[in-house]
Amino acid sequence: MEQIKLQFERFTEKEMIERGQAFRALMVRRRTVRDFDDRPIPTGVLEDALRVAASAPSGANRQPWRFVIVEDPETKARIRVAAEKEEQEFYSTRAPDDWLEALEPLGTDANKPFLTEAPALIAIFLERFGIDEDGKRIKNYYMGESVGIATGFLISALHQVGLATLTHTPSPMRFLNEILNRPARERPYLLLVVGYPKVGAMVPAIERLPFDTVVTKV
């Protein structure tokens, strides 16, 4: 494979510390939002964030992510109806008691108004295998890990420009293939709700685990 020279920007120690602290201060303020304003997102902002997501590393560079931007009100309404149907089934019959108990402090239920209130949804699909020009199946590698990393890039990029997000994962999500006309080889991975928080939006007063609990240095 052809090689190209790495473009890598080096910083002084002082710059590294300052940049790290600034990024940390930005990201620790990120919160999941469930109350969205319907104000439209400026043209190009989502596309730029998705270009960041599409730059993520992936197994064997297969890039097994596919993103669908949904802004059409009718399509968002169809997604909400299908998602709430699955969520109603989940909350009423499928969810074990300990799961419902864990969700209770977050105030979630089967009603998902944010799916139609937010200006945009980004449906993220995991491509289980590719197809080459001759119609031959191409194996993808580390698909879940790759799409998860790209999703993290995307959430960070959206937070960087001042947009709030909500990760929504109704189960099952195959209705997204039908509504968004995606092939069967693409598995719905996550539905990302994107927009501006409503003025005065409230979020649960959660706490993060202590740093020393989640990080060990050896």
Side-chain angles (χ1 to χ4, degrees):
M1 177 180 291
E2 180 185 0
Q3 300 287 304
I4 61 174
K5 186 176 181 179
L6 173 66
Q7 300 296 316
F8 187 84
E9 187 175 2
R10 298 183 183 276
F11 302 102
T12 66
E13 180 176 321
K14 180 175 183 291
E15 289 172 332
M16 292 173 67
I17 292 171
E18 290 176 347
R19 288 169 67 90
Q21 291 177 343
F23 188 68
R24 180 195 68 191
L26 171 71
M27 293 306 299
V28 297
R29 294 197 299 270
R30 191 212 64 82
R31 291 297 306 271
T32 293
V33 170
R34 289 181 171 81
D35 296 315
F36 286 87
D37 195 305
D38 62 0
R39 181 158 56 107
I41 298 169
T43 301
V45 170
L46 294 182
E47 289 80 359
D48 281 339
L50 285 163
R51 286 187 174 91
V52 173
S55 75
S58 62
N61 195 36
R62 292 289 195 237
Q63 305 166 58
W65 42 70
R66 296 294 182 268
F67 304 99
V68 180
I69 301 173
V70 183
E71 296 176 313
D72 175 62
E74 182 178 337
T75 305
K76 289 193 296 180
R78 291 180 62 196
I79 290 174
R80 178 179 175 181
V81 168
E84 288 184 337
K85 179 181 178 182
E86 297 298 344
E87 292 289 83
Q88 186 61 51
E89 180 71 17
F90 167 78
Y91 279 93
S92 60
T93 63
R94 293 203 304 263
D97 290 341
D98 58 345
W99 195 342
L100 293 176
E101 184 178 344
L103 290 174
E104 187 174 359
L106 302 179
T108 63
D109 57 28
N111 299 308
K112 308 299 178 183
F114 46 75
L115 292 175
T116 49
E117 292 174 347
L121 310 176
I122 300 177
I124 303 172
F125 291 85
L126 179 156
E127 186 188 57
R128 296 184 294 114
F129 57 89
I131 301 292
D132 68 12
E133 296 177 353
D134 299 321
K136 182 180 177 181
R137 181 182 295 203
I138 303 173
K139 185 175 181 180
N140 288 334
Y141 303 93
Y142 298 103
M143 296 163 288
E145 294 87 343
S146 301
V147 179
I149 293 169
T151 299
F153 273 38
L154 178 57
I155 292 171
S156 298
L158 292 168
H159 182 66
Q160 166 74 20
V161 299
L163 291 171
T165 55
L166 166 68
T167 53
H168 185 45
T169 53
S171 181
M173 289 192 286
R174 277 295 179 185
F175 61 83
L176 288 173
N177 289 76
E178 178 182 354
I179 294 174
L180 301 177
N181 193 30
R182 305 305 298 180
R185 71 176 184 273
E186 294 180 11
R187 176 170 62 82
Y189 182 85
L190 188 144
L191 192 58
L192 192 66
V193 185
V194 186
Y196 302 94
K198 284 184 179 177
V199 175
M202 305 293 287
V203 294
I206 60 174
E207 294 182 1
R208 305 299 185 187
L209 290 171
F211 186 74
D212 291 342
T213 299
V214 299
V215 176
T216 301
K217 186 176 182 178
V218 296

